[in-house]
Amino acid sequence: KTPLTSIRGYLELLKSSQRDEETRQQFYEIIDIEADRLMHLITDMLELSEIENRPALDRQEAAEGCNLAEVSQEVMAQLQPIAPDPNLRAPAAHRRMRQLLTNLMSNAILYNKPGGAVWVSAGRARDHFFLRVRDNGIGIPEEHQARIFERFYRVYKERSRALGGTGLGLSIVKHIAQLYGGSVQLESRPDEGSVFTVYLPLPLPQTPVA
Ligand code: ADP
């Protein structure tokens, strides 16, 4: 059921018959939760459509790059402490890196096990920048790995839904990487954990012409 179907269903129930106060409160509560889910879903869909449809805007904003430590500070306040090289710059817009890191880190936390951990690392080689989010959580069975970047694809539907997932997070991550000409790589084993690595190409230094 979509959130809107339940909202309408519970509104119908409230309108159609006499309910005691306690039942009415329960219905309001459900409508409230479902409305939140709907809002989250719409925000994610708008984000995805903006990334897909306005790449020029993003390229413009990416021109000056973004300070990774700053992005991390923001995500950290939202999620969990990480500490990258304070001078490392990603060849991407600040707000896009924030979305990407938020989605990868919240997944690494949500699809984890009690006492589990999340590691974040980043760095650069001659021609590319990379950002890696690793967890030792529940992992992703091989047969699902090719599909989890698809919209609305979820391995554990009930768990994802219970945790407030929309099924769009990884597809946003992939689109952001592609927006900058990069890619996302996944390595995962059920019960051991997952590693998501985002690669972004760096402009090669200009060699002086003699
Ligand atoms: P959701 O909102 O459901 O989290 P995502 O697109 O972010 O949507 O992820 C899609 C699915 O991939 C999730 O429902 C989950 O089954 C699986 N998944 C994503 N990240 C991880 C992870 N770090 N460990 C295990 N499973 C994961």
Side-chain angles (χ1 to χ4, degrees):
K1 271 199 306 185
T2 69
L4 205 49
T5 320
S6 2
I7 290 171
R8 297 193 65 171
Y10 281 101
L11 283 175
E12 279 314 311
L13 285 176
L14 280 167
K15 283 199 294 187
S16 64
S17 54
Q18 297 291 351
R19 303 277 172 185
D20 59 60
E21 187 52 30
E22 197 186 332
T23 313
R24 297 173 65 86
Q25 285 309 325
Q26 275 172 9
F27 288 178
Y28 288 137
E29 198 63 25
I30 296 171
I31 291 173
D32 199 24
I33 292 168
E34 292 297 315
D36 268 352
R37 266 183 66 202
L38 186 60
M39 208 148 99
H40 189 179
L41 185 66
I42 292 171
T43 317
D44 270 5
M45 290 178 74
L46 286 176
E47 241 158 49
L48 200 51
S49 121
E50 196 189 282
I51 295 164
E52 282 188 310
N53 298 322
R54 304 175 67 191
L57 183 71
D58 267 274
R59 276 193 290 273
Q60 206 178 322
E61 283 182 51
E64 56 177 328
C66 65
N67 184 298
L68 254 204
E70 251 175 63
V71 177
S72 308
Q73 293 288 342
E74 287 178 23
V75 177
M76 209 154 63
Q78 229 177 307
L79 305 167
Q80 200 187 301
I82 57 170
D85 170 358
N87 297 314
L88 183 63
R89 292 188 78 78
H94 184 111
R95 68 193 181 112
R96 293 298 177 218
M97 283 311 266
R98 190 174 63 217
Q99 288 168 331
L100 185 147
L101 204 48
T102 301
N103 292 349
L104 288 179
M105 286 185 68
S106 55
N107 280 347
I109 294 166
L110 291 176
Y111 302 105
N112 218 309
K113 301 187 257 192
V118 177
W119 296 264
V120 179
S121 55
R124 52 189 295 164
R126 198 178 70 94
D127 63 351
H128 68 267
F129 165 93
F130 71 88
L131 176 65
R132 186 164 290 141
V133 178
R134 177 162 77 88
D135 66 69
N136 55 358
I138 61 177
I140 302 161
E142 171 101 57
E143 66 269 26
H144 294 285
Q145 292 183 12
R147 300 201 56 195
I148 57 163
F149 294 96
E150 291 173 23
R151 278 160 219 228
F152 300 117
Y153 193 84
R154 298 188 283 204
V155 181
Y156 309 102
K157 280 200 176 48
E158 290 315 316
R159 177 164 181 149
S160 161
R161 202 167 296 151
L163 296 167
T166 61
L168 290 175
L170 285 179
S171 116
I172 290 177
V173 167
K174 185 177 168 186
H175 277 79
I176 291 175
Q178 288 176 344
L179 177 67
Y180 298 121
S183 58
V184 190
Q185 197 204 311
L186 165 65
E187 283 171 66
S188 183
R189 273 167 200 270
D191 250 322
E192 284 182 34
S194 308
V195 187
F196 287 85
T197 311
V198 176
Y199 293 97
L200 301 180
L202 287 171
L204 286 172
Q206 298 294 310
T207 37
V209 182

